[in-house]
Amino acid sequence: MQDFLTLDHLQAYGKRILVRLDLNLPIHKGHVTDLTRLIRSLPTLKELTAMGGKVIVMTHLGRPRGVDPSLTLAPIADALKQAMAPIPVFFSEACQGPLVEEKIQSLHPGEILLLENIRFVEGEEKNDPAFARQMARWGDIYVSDAFSASHRAHASTEGIAHFLPSYAGRLMEKELKALDMALAHPKRPLMAIVGGAKVSTKLPLLEHLIEKVDVLVVGGAMANTFLAALGYNIGASLYESDLLETTKSLLDKGCEILLPIDGVVAKALEELDSVRTCLVSDIQKDEKIFDIGPKTCDRILERLQSCHTLIWNGPVGVFETAPFNKGTTDLAVGVGKLTRQGSLLSVAGGGDTVAALVHAGVLNDFTYVSTAGGAFLEWLEGKPLPGVVALQRTRVE
C-alpha cells in the first residue's frame, strides 16, 4: 500500500519543514486538559529536530470565523514547550504575514515555531490556492502528521502538497499502515464491530463493511432496528421504523451478521430498580434495551477466537452509565486479551469508542487505536481522504 514518502526518505538538516499537526485540544481556563493528540505528535517533531530541521508547525483550534482571541493557540504553545523541553519552541502570534516570515527567518536548526490558529485565515478552509502557495514559500518541505484532519480539503492539509515535496509524519504513517492491515489487506477472517444510536448515521459504513468483512457485529441502539426488521418485539426501545426495509436488505447481503440475543433492559435509563437481563424474545412493552447481555458478549468473543483481524467503531451499549457499560467493557477486555496473546490484530477508532476503551482500561492492549474521529469513519466508509490522496501523488525517485 505504501505509495507515500515518509521521514525515512527525508534529508532535513537546515531545511524549513512545514508540519501540519492536529493539536485541536480541549482547553479549560487557559490550560490544555487532554494531551493525547499532542503526545502522539511528539515522535515526528523530535525526529525532525534531531535531524536539524527548522520546524514550523501549523494546526487549528475549533471553528473560528476569522480571528477569534478565545481560540488562540497560546495555551497549546505552552503545553508544547513543556512537552518538547529542552528543545526550543517559539510561538508566532500571527499565522500569516511579515511576523511569520520574520520568525521563520530567525529559526535555527533543531528549533520549532508554532504558528497561530491556521483557521484564522479565510483561505484555509476554502483551500485557496493563493494561500497554499503563500504557505509553501515559508518552507522547503511539507510533512503531514494530521490524519485526523485529512478528510478536509483545506489549504494546510491538501492545497500545500501541490507546491512542496510532501511526506507523511510518523503518526500519519502509523495510522495508514494500521488501517491498511485492518481493512485493505487484512488477515482473515475479518470481524467488524459497529455500535451507535442510529442505522441512518452509519448506513454508508455498514454498506461498505458488509462487502469487506467476514463477520459483522451490530450493537448499540442501531441493533434495535435490525431486531425489529426480523420481527422481534423490542418493547419501547429506540429504533428507526423508516429503515426497516433498508435493514432487511443488509441482512440479505450474505455476510455473517451477529445481533444481540439477550440484553440489559430497563424502563428508563435512570430507573435502575427496573434493570434486568433477558433474551431479546422476552422484552416487555414498557422496557428499553440499553446494553448487550452476557450471552451476546460470550457469543461475539467465541466467534472472535476464530478471527485474525478486528475493526471496532462504536460502543455496544450506553457505556457512560453503569450497569449499561458492562457489555462494552467485557467485550473490550476480551479483545485486549486476544490481542495480547498475539492471535488478533485489533484496530479501533471514533470518539466514543476511544472513551469506552479508556473506561475499560484496555486502550494500550489494542494493536492500534485511532483518535481521528471523522477521518477514521470516512476511511472505513471507503471514501478517499484529500489529505492522504495529496501525499500519494509523490513517489520515491
Side-chain angles (χ1 to χ4, degrees):
M1 172 224 173
Q2 186 165 325
D3 54 356
F4 53 89
L5 299 178
T6 70
L7 301 192
D8 295 331
H9 309 109
L10 179 58
Q11 298 296 321
Y13 186 81
K15 299 288 182 65
R16 300 166 301 161
I17 305 172
L18 291 169
V19 182
R20 180 53 159 99
L21 302 181
D22 185 358
L23 301 182
N24 187 23
L25 309 177
I27 296 174
H28 181 66
K29 294 183 178 180
H31 297 283
V32 177
T33 57
D34 185 351
L35 293 171
T36 302
R37 283 185 172 176
L38 187 149
I39 292 170
R40 286 191 164 196
S41 299
L42 296 182
T44 290
L45 297 180
K46 289 181 178 179
E47 187 169 349
L48 291 175
T49 52
M51 287 193 290
K54 302 176 181 180
V55 180
I56 302 110
V57 175
M58 305 176 294
T59 186
H60 72 280
L61 178 63
R63 297 179 177 178
R65 300 292 183 183
V67 177
D68 183 348
S70 70
L71 293 174
T72 178
L73 295 185
I76 293 173
D78 292 337
L80 185 60
K81 288 176 184 178
Q82 293 180 30
M84 290 299 298
I87 296 170
V89 176
F90 305 98
F91 178 55
S92 169
E93 294 81 4
C95 46
Q96 65 175 344
L99 179 61
V100 169
E101 296 172 8
E102 177 185 325
K103 286 184 175 288
I104 290 175
Q105 288 175 2
S106 66
L107 271 183
H108 294 94
E111 296 181 341
I112 297 173
L113 173 66
L114 173 64
L115 305 185
E116 181 57 284
N117 194 336
I118 201 70
R119 286 189 179 174
F120 285 177
V121 182
E122 183 180 358
E124 162 64 3
E125 293 187 79
K126 292 182 178 180
N127 199 9
D128 181 3
F131 179 49
R133 193 176 292 109
Q134 177 189 126
M135 283 191 294
R137 288 196 292 267
W138 301 338
D140 306 300
I141 292 166
Y142 171 67
V143 172
S144 177
D145 215 22
F147 177 83
S148 50
S150 63
H151 59 314
R152 306 299 186 199
H154 293 170
S156 68
T157 60
E158 195 276 340
I160 192 173
H162 292 269
F163 303 106
L164 287 177
S166 301
Y167 300 77
R170 293 305 185 197
L171 180 58
M172 173 73 83
E173 178 187 3
K174 188 175 182 180
E175 187 104 29
L176 293 178
K177 286 181 176 179
L179 294 178
D180 184 63
M181 287 190 297
L183 190 58
H185 300 94
K187 185 177 180 182
R188 294 184 180 274
L190 165 62
M191 176 187 286
I193 298 175
V194 180
K198 295 182 178 181
V199 172
S200 56
T201 59
K202 292 196 174 179
L203 186 57
L205 174 61
L206 293 170
E207 290 175 334
H208 184 67
L209 287 180
I210 213 164
E211 301 290 341
K212 295 282 187 178
V213 306
D214 302 295
V215 186
L216 176 63
V217 175
V218 182
M222 70 164 62
N224 301 341
T225 302
F226 280 82
L227 292 172
L230 289 172
Y232 284 96
N233 178 7
I234 56 172
S237 303
L238 172 72
Y239 78 105
E240 295 173 281
S241 58
D242 58 327
L243 285 178
L244 293 180
E245 291 303 317
T246 300
T247 303
K248 287 179 183 178
S249 69
L250 293 176
L251 291 166
D252 292 336
K253 291 287 186 179
C255 176
E256 180 183 349
I257 298 179
L258 299 184
L259 297 172
I261 55 176
D262 65 339
V264 182
V265 303
K267 293 181 179 178
L269 195 62
E270 62 278 3
E271 292 188 30
L272 299 183
D273 58 343
S274 67
V275 174
R276 71 185 186 101
T277 300
C278 65
L279 297 175
V280 294
S281 57
D282 190 34
I283 298 170
Q284 304 303 304
K285 64 179 181 180
D286 60 346
E287 292 179 323
K288 300 178 181 180
I289 308 170
F290 290 115
D291 193 14
I292 62 171
K295 294 182 185 297
T296 301
C297 187
D298 289 344
R299 183 187 183 208
I300 296 169
L301 290 175
E302 182 180 355
R303 183 66 179 89
L304 192 57
Q305 288 180 9
S306 61
C307 294
H308 294 296
T309 308
L310 171 71
I311 300 168
W312 188 345
N313 176 254
V316 294
V318 185
F319 78 96
E320 304 95 336
T321 306
F324 309 117
N325 57 354
K326 184 171 173 53
T328 300
T329 298
D330 289 353
L331 199 54
V333 170
V335 171
K337 181 179 179 181
L338 291 172
T339 305
R340 290 195 310 274
Q341 290 173 348
S343 63
L344 183 69
L345 183 145
S346 53
V347 175
D352 286 346
T353 314
V354 176
L357 298 185
V358 170
H359 177 81
V362 297
L363 187 68
N364 296 323
D365 291 340
F366 278 56
T367 306
Y368 189 78
V369 178
S370 172
T371 59
F376 178 79
L377 189 59
E378 290 195 19
W379 179 280
L380 291 185
E381 291 174 359
K383 296 179 180 178
L385 307 184
V388 173
V389 173
L391 294 179
Q392 292 172 340
R393 295 192 188 100
T394 307
R395 300 292 190 271
V396 181
E397 297 296 335

